[in-house]
Amino acid sequence: MPAAHALPPETKVHSALARTLTIDLGDTREQLVHHPLYALIDRPDRLRRFMEHHVFAVWDFQSLLKAMQQKLTCTGIPWLPTPDPEARRLVNEIVLDEESDELPGGGHASHFELYLDSMRHAAADTRPIERLLELLRRGESISEALDACGGPTAACNFVRRSFEVIESGSTRRIVAAFTYGREDVIPDMFRHLVTSLATEDPATWESFRFYLERHIAHDDEKHAPVCRRIVARLCGDDPAHWAEASETARDCLASRITFWDEIAATWK
């Protein structure tokens, strides 16, 4: 006789399949959200040093976004309709927000440009990231530009890992990296960084707080849910596709944890 509460075989099969059709992050997301780095950013000088590292991740976020846009929309000439109109619409909405957001005093700017402006208000050093952009405009490869820009080693290594995903050419990997390595987790990370510094010295930190709060609002309310829908559309009912997306997502979170570990190690 079967046990009173035993599930029928078809239910067990369905449950096992359902578990494979989800993103498995393990404990990487929780490790990142509760990383000890946030508690160490307790003085203005440390927040400036954090920004000088983190700005590289803000920049390569935009590169991941453009890679996703290239994969899911038509950015070439002649224009041709891409297979998934809904994904096309969703990605273009994210690009609009991230590349041309409204500024509090009027006008528009990308979130990267807003971050740079925040760094200048806080007297953080923007020369390495500006040097990176200058080298790229001259035609240097991303590897050459990172080697020559003078940026923090930990930040440059993080960018290299992001570009490994971009250069893989896999749409699922790129979208999974953007969704679970960035949009899904950024709000919870940034909540730790909206500190009393902005209240204590608004002239210095108000611009940075605006950036953080703007990013939290966009990602939490709009972008993360949209990106999860795109991942689901790309993976469909194929467990192998979900496994590939899960592996990429975990790797991206682990890369960020390593990045944070290396920043924190300089303060201990």
Side-chain angles (χ1 to χ4, degrees), residues 59 81-82 125 168 174 177 183 203 207 230 236 238 245 252:
W59 174 77
T82 47
D125 187 1
S168 74
I174 291 168
E183 296 288 60
S207 179
I230 295 173
D238 190 330
C252 289

Side-chain angles (χ1 to χ4, degrees), residues 165-176:
V165 175
I166 292 171
E167 292 165 0
S168 74
S170 166
T171 304
R172 276 186 299 275
R173 289 191 66 195
I174 291 168
V175 177

Side-chain angles (χ1 to χ4, degrees), residues 211-223:
Y211 165 84
L212 295 176
E213 291 176 344
R214 191 70 171 168
H215 226 47
I216 289 170
H218 276 312
D219 294 352
D220 225 7
E221 298 168 11
K222 297 169 60 179
H223 297 175

Side-chain angles (χ1 to χ4, degrees), residues 52-61 63 112 127-137 139-164 166-167 259:
E52 291 163 5
H53 284 75
H54 182 237
V55 67
F56 283 81
V58 176
W59 174 77
D60 83 357
F61 171 97
S63 298
F112 170 74
R127 288 173 297 178
I129 189 65
E130 290 174 333
R131 175 68 172 161
L132 176 70
L133 301 185
E134 178 187 346
L135 291 167
L136 291 170
R137 289 189 183 104
E140 300 285 345
S141 70
I142 183 66
S143 178
E144 292 168 335
L146 288 169
D147 286 342
C149 72
T153 299
C156 292
N157 287 340
F158 180 82
V159 173
R160 288 187 179 94
R161 289 188 287 266
S162 296
F163 270 80
E164 287 175 4
I166 292 171
E167 292 165 0
F259 188 15

Side-chain angles (χ1 to χ4, degrees), residues 43-59:
R43 304 196 307 260
D45 62 306
R46 288 188 171 181
L47 185 50
R48 291 186 185 95
R49 300 295 83 77
F50 171 79
M51 295 173 81
E52 291 163 5
H53 284 75
H54 182 237
V55 67
F56 283 81
V58 176
W59 174 77

Side-chain angles (χ1 to χ4, degrees), residues 20-83:
T20 67
L21 301 181
T22 57
I23 294 295
D24 177 12
L25 300 178
D27 66 350
T28 53
R29 191 183 191 282
E30 286 303 302
Q31 286 184 50
L32 181 56
V33 169
H34 299 290
H35 197 282
L37 174 68
Y38 309 117
L40 294 173
I41 306 174
D42 58 356
R43 304 196 307 260
D45 62 306
R46 288 188 171 181
L47 185 50
R48 291 186 185 95
R49 300 295 83 77
F50 171 79
M51 295 173 81
E52 291 163 5
H53 284 75
H54 182 237
V55 67
F56 283 81
V58 176
W59 174 77
D60 83 357
F61 171 97
Q62 300 285 357
S63 298
L64 269 173
L65 173 58
K66 299 308 286 187
M68 188 166 73
Q69 186 183 31
Q70 288 176 356
K71 290 292 183 180
L72 296 175
T73 76
C74 181
T75 59
I77 299 171
W79 179 86
L80 294 170
T82 47

